[in-house]
Amino acid sequence: MKTTTRLLHQADDREAQHGSVNPPIYHSSLYTFPTMQAFLDTRDGLEERYMYSRESNPTVRVLEQKIAMLEGAEDCIATSSGMAAITAVLLSILKGGDHALIVQTCYGPTRSFMDDIMAELGVETTYFHPHVTDLSPLLQPNTRLVYLESPGSVTFHIQDLRALSAHARAHGAITMADNSWSTPLYQQPHSLGVDFVVHSGTKYIAGHSDLVLGLITGGGDQFRRIKKVAVLLGATLGPAEAYLALRSLRTLSVRMAQLQQNTMAVTTWLQAHSKVRKVLYPGLPSFPRHELAKTQMSGWSSLFTVELQPPLDPEQRHNFVDGCELFSVGVSWGGYESLIVPLLSINLNSMSAEERLGLNDNCYRLCIGLEDAGDLIADLKQALSHYIIAPKGL
Ligand SMILES: Cc1ncc(COP(=O)(O)O)c(C=O)c1O
């Protein structure tokens, strides 16, 4: 049976809910017990029942079981945001005196968490280039964690997830990967050897820009510790958000297929445009490590970066961005709507030249939505023709 079919029915129990095709939203903070013995048995783990919604909720549980199936994991924890998922894993694995290897293209707030919070707890971090394949020179006796994110969400560098997780494992280190860009439909890091996978479910999984959601998948004793930390932090998800995410999951495969088709059309068109210097999109055959990406991923999502030429002055930049009528200015991604954000406004200013990895003030990150691809191309065409002065000879 195909994953898309299984996703629709995984963890459904219609008979237990009067035949209702949708799981109810269990709006209950606590669950009562028919007897004191049933309460004690549940507390002692002898009986499986719900106790308190910060620990577990039936609507949230359906979501967790569907995501675990998609990622090919033993289990899943749904959290109140992607950052709650990331920080719960980091806090449960790392302790003072440990060393962490983190890919330098990780999501910005993940880096801040390492630099501002984990450093104070005594964790040392080394950032490494996403194209590093041999971790040996970087691994230290106290390296406990290797953090991966492939593709990254600004430059979209592809990491060799198989090789890196094999190195980490041989060294006794744990690996985790942020899989938000690909979704579990297009990449399953566990199958490549990664121990724990995290998602900003806020993006494609939610898909409609109407909720904030995080997900963690994995298994074993360490996973149970992560669950404990997430519950102690109070980082778990509420049932209303879980219901919305379940509703979105039903169309994940069709949304992703359409987004992929739209984005291939837009990036292919942009790449051939005289006012475009480069397009950073892993789905393009010209993208560095595209062949490696094909061995790890089965599809491409809709977020990419484009560098325009010639460089624009600040006023022209404003005019170009505002002139893209179908693209709203916004920082998130993965919804139904197209977005544009000038990279200088989100993270370039705080980066050193080395950290910028070739990005400059003339780069824009675009998220393609479910609008008609032809309309999006026509919009970009008019914005490029009106607001950018072509260099001589083009
Ligand atoms: C790649 C990536 N990971 C994690 C996060 C954090 O997710 P959330 O905003 O749901 O906390 C984001 C948010 O933009 C992201 O882009």
Side-chain angles (χ1 to χ4, degrees):
M1 200 189 288
K2 291 272 194 295
T3 309
T4 44
T5 310
R6 285 183 66 200
L7 173 60
L8 293 181
H9 301 290
Q10 179 82 12
D12 278 355
D13 188 359
R14 291 187 189 163
E15 277 316 293
Q17 57 204 32
H18 312 285
S20 161
V21 294
N22 293 307
I25 306 178
Y26 283 91
H27 266 302
S28 189
S29 57
L30 77 144
Y31 305 86
T32 55
F33 297 84
T35 62
M36 179 170 163
Q37 194 56 51
F39 171 71
L40 294 176
D41 287 350
T42 304
R43 185 202 61 183
D44 296 340
L46 300 173
E47 202 180 325
E48 230 182 277
R49 283 178 68 113
Y50 292 94
M51 172 93 75
Y52 187 54
S53 273
R54 177 161 50 77
E55 290 169 359
S56 203
N57 169 287
T59 317
V60 175
R61 204 59 202 131
V62 179
L63 172 66
E64 291 174 337
Q65 287 167 335
K66 285 185 191 281
I67 298 291
M69 185 279 292
L70 281 183
E71 282 289 5
E74 184 186 310
D75 208 347
C76 169
I77 306 160
T79 58
S80 53
S81 68
M83 276 314 288
I86 291 166
T87 55
V89 179
L90 293 172
L91 283 169
S92 70
I93 292 174
L94 295 167
K95 59 178 186 330
D98 284 344
H99 172 244
L101 279 178
I102 312 260
V103 64
Q104 88 185 68
T105 44
C106 68
Y107 177 54
T110 303
R111 194 176 181 128
S112 306
F113 190 75
M114 296 310 297
D115 295 347
D116 302 338
I117 312 290
M118 296 309 274
E120 281 189 359
L121 298 178
V123 175
E124 187 204 340
T125 299
T126 305
Y127 294 98
F128 65 98
H129 190 280
H131 285 179
V132 159
T133 40
D134 182 6
L135 287 179
S136 321
L138 300 168
L139 285 161
Q140 300 179 13
N142 60 340
T143 305
R144 175 130 174 88
L145 176 80
V146 177
Y147 188 103
L148 311 164
E149 188 170 322
S150 177
S153 63
V154 181
T155 56
F156 308 96
H157 279 81
I158 300 294
Q159 291 193 270
D160 189 335
L161 295 181
R162 273 189 206 87
L164 296 173
S165 46
H167 274 145
R169 176 149 308 159
H171 186 78
I174 295 170
T175 44
M176 67 183 283
D178 184 330
N179 198 27
S180 307
W181 192 87
S182 299
T183 85
L185 275 189
Y186 288 168
Q187 180 167 259
Q188 295 93 34
H190 292 304
S191 71
L192 306 168
V194 174
D195 297 309
F196 299 105
V197 174
V198 287
H199 283 276
S200 171
T202 313
K203 310 299 188 237
Y204 296 111
I205 290 174
H208 299 75
S209 305
D210 56 359
L211 76 130
V212 176
L213 162 72
L215 299 152
I216 307 166
T217 57
D221 290 344
Q222 186 64 48
F223 182 80
R224 283 181 275 285
R225 184 172 155 73
I226 294 170
K227 165 105 195 185
K228 183 175 175 181
V229 170
V231 169
L232 287 174
L233 289 171
T236 43
L237 190 72
E241 283 85 357
Y243 182 84
L244 278 176
L246 284 168
R247 185 176 165 135
S248 298
L249 272 184
R250 296 187 192 113
T251 56
L252 181 65
S253 64
V254 285
R255 283 187 286 112
M256 293 309 291
Q258 190 60 49
L259 291 174
Q260 169 168 244
Q261 197 178 313
N262 284 4
T263 312
M264 284 305 300
V266 172
T267 52
T268 305
W269 179 82
L270 275 172
Q271 197 173 230
H273 198 288
S274 61
K275 293 170 186 173
V276 169
R277 184 150 181 270
K278 63 180 178 226
V279 179
L280 303 177
Y281 181 58
L284 292 172
S286 57
F287 189 72
R289 290 190 148 187
H290 174 73
E291 290 307 315
L292 170 65
K294 282 203 294 187
T295 71
Q296 303 183 156
M297 301 156 73
S298 55
W300 322 105
S301 67
S302 72
L303 185 73
F304 65 91
T305 290
V306 59
E307 182 183 345
L308 301 182
Q309 62 181 1
L312 302 185
D313 66 30
E315 190 189 333
Q316 289 170 321
R317 259 187 236 127
H318 279 260
N319 287 340
F320 168 66
V321 171
D322 295 345
C324 295
E325 286 168 11
L326 289 174
F327 293 77
S328 310
V329 185
V331 288
S332 192
W333 40 280
Y336 66 90
E337 75 287 13
S338 289
L339 297 168
I340 183 166
V341 70
L343 282 189
L344 85 165
S345 65
I346 51 170
N347 39 17
L348 285 186
N349 288 341
S350 57
M351 288 182 182
S352 66
E354 190 205 332
E355 286 167 343
R356 283 181 173 216
L357 290 173
L359 295 177
N360 59 44
D361 291 352
N362 226 23
C363 292
Y364 301 81
R365 193 177 72 175
L366 272 65
C367 178
I368 298 301
L370 292 169
E371 299 90 347
D372 178 79
D375 288 341
L376 292 173
I377 290 172
D379 191 33
L380 290 168
K381 187 173 180 186
Q382 65 77 24
L384 284 166
S385 66
H386 284 134
Y387 300 112
I388 297 188
I389 299 138
K392 284 198 172 61
L394 283 179

